[in-house]
Amino acid sequence: MLDRTEDVLGDYEEQMADTNLTIHELLTLSSIVEREAQQDEDRPLIAGVLFNRLDEDMRLQVDPTVSYALGEHQYMTTFDHTAEDSPYNTYMYGGLPPSPIASPGRDSIEAVLNPEDSSYLYFYARYNGEVIYNETYEEHNRVHQEYRHEWVEGGGDQEEEAE
């Protein structure tokens, strides 16, 4: 696995030199993009949102880091889950988690090296895979309230209030 990662990263040495990212930061961000994006076309925009949040000194607040902190996949992240005291919980702690949360694929690495520029700070993944991007928390919250029922209905026995 390490040899394969080294081979893949070797293909991006020149691009990496043009960024301020360490290999550790690249792999950590790429792992978050890997777990967040269902569709390849969303990866660069999600990467851009993550960079925008970091630039604004916001917490990343991404659900896959909470699942990693809990040690198991969560169908829906709840408010109780976001209270898990772990350095991997990006709802609780700012900056990047201490290490990658997954093994990122080439598409996620490329997305972090070439993030799509936007003013978006939020994104919401619908149950059908569509991702809706917003600039303000108010817009994001409206979208969340409009589509949350899809996850609740799709989850069967999931009854807890989702974040």
Side-chain angles (χ1 to χ4, degrees):
M1 185 173 78
L2 292 174
D3 289 341
R4 175 72 178 134
T5 300
E6 189 174 302
D7 287 345
V8 169
L9 290 178
D11 293 342
Y12 300 103
E13 280 183 53
E14 192 171 306
Q15 282 182 285
M16 286 177 54
D18 293 337
T19 72
N20 291 329
L21 295 174
T22 66
I23 290 173
H24 184 265
E25 292 167 333
L26 172 65
L27 291 176
T28 301
L29 278 166
S30 298
S31 73
I32 293 170
V33 171
E34 183 72 25
R35 293 297 311 271
E36 277 289 358
Q38 291 184 33
Q39 308 295 323
D40 287 340
E41 61 265 16
D42 286 311
R43 293 180 197 285
L45 201 45
I46 289 173
V49 169
L50 297 177
F51 280 112
N52 288 347
R53 288 181 182 177
L54 290 169
D55 288 345
E56 293 288 323
D57 238 1
M58 294 174 64
R59 292 183 183 155
L60 293 180
Q61 295 184 321
V62 287
D63 294 355
T65 63
V66 174
S67 289
Y68 190 84
L70 292 167
E72 61 186 4
H73 173 75
Q74 301 298 312
Y75 173 75
M76 289 174 33
T77 301
T78 67
F79 288 115
D80 287 344
H81 294 148
T82 63
E84 177 71 18
D85 191 4
S86 165
Y88 286 94
N89 182 349
T90 58
Y91 281 85
M92 185 171 280
Y93 293 99
L96 296 177
S99 68
I101 61 165
S103 181
R106 190 176 287 271
D107 290 337
S108 294
I109 292 170
E110 288 178 10
V112 169
L113 290 172
N114 302 291
E116 189 169 326
D117 189 32
S118 77
S119 56
Y120 298 132
L121 291 170
Y122 302 93
F123 60 90
Y124 182 84
R126 292 185 59 198
Y127 185 77
N128 67 5
E130 175 191 9
V131 180
I132 301 170
Y133 300 90
N134 297 110
E135 295 179 6
T136 68
Y137 180 73
E138 291 74 25
E139 293 170 336
H140 173 69
N141 193 44
R142 182 191 57 75
V143 167
H144 179 259
Q145 294 305 315
E146 183 175 347
Y147 295 108
R148 185 180 76 77
H149 72 91
E150 296 174 339
W151 288 99
V152 172
E153 292 164 4
D157 63 355
Q158 274 287 348
E159 293 182 18
E160 294 183 79
E161 181 77 11
E163 170 57 28

